[in-house]
Amino acid sequence: MSDDSAAPTPPEGLPEAVVTELNGLSAEDLRRAIVHAQELLQWQEDTPSQIELHPGEDVIRVNERDTYTEVVKTVPCPEGCEDCPHGPYLYHVREEQRPEGGTHTHWTFIGEVDTEKN
Ligand SMILES: [Zn+2]
């Protein structure tokens, strides 16, 4: 590899830390990074929308929309009353970018769902 030739321009939006890290890798490490990235991608696509459930919660229905994911789930209350679990409740789940990098999952409570109608 010649130092005279300009390094390829990274795709727009790729975090600078990642670019710097990749630029410093040997060909061998780059291949490992590609393999790992592909595995991560595969894994993320297999995991529906990073929907994390708390113990006792039960997902009734998941619908992927353009900008969010519709999730209907039942939720137990902390006390564990006689009516538990409660719901089912409808949530809109969005993947949001953190200012410091990475993403977090934002759940918006929409309301109770009448399962009789569905
Ligand atoms: Zn309860």
Side-chain angles (χ1 to χ4, degrees):
M1 200 173 33
S2 158
D3 286 336
D4 296 336
S5 62
T9 309
E12 199 173 320
L14 187 64
E16 202 162 324
V18 175
V19 174
T20 309
E21 200 66 37
L22 288 176
N23 284 344
L25 292 183
S26 66
E28 199 180 341
D29 282 342
L30 275 174
R31 281 191 203 97
R32 291 196 185 107
I34 292 169
V35 168
H36 184 55
Q38 283 175 339
E39 285 174 350
L40 275 179
L41 198 54
Q42 189 78 46
W43 174 74
Q44 283 195 2
E45 284 168 356
D46 285 350
T47 314
S49 300
Q50 291 84 45
I51 304 294
E52 276 182 43
L53 293 178
H54 298 105
E57 294 183 350
D58 204 8
V59 167
I60 311 286
R61 180 154 65 77
V62 175
N63 289 323
E64 296 287 342
R65 303 287 182 193
D66 282 349
T67 54
Y68 62 92
T69 306
E70 259 182 23
V71 178
V72 176
K73 64 176 182 178
T74 56
V75 185
C77 61
E79 299 82 29
C81 71
E82 278 181 8
D83 295 330
C84 275
H86 303 271
Y89 300 122
L90 171 63
Y91 296 84
H92 286 180
V93 185
R94 281 184 185 80
E95 219 28 45
E96 292 184 346
Q97 300 289 326
R98 287 181 197 274
E100 66 270 28
T103 58
H104 76 114
T105 311
H106 184 79
W107 290 72
T108 307
F109 177 77
I110 304 299
E112 193 159 358
V113 175
D114 187 355
T115 42
E116 303 295 310
K117 275 188 286 193
N118 294 319

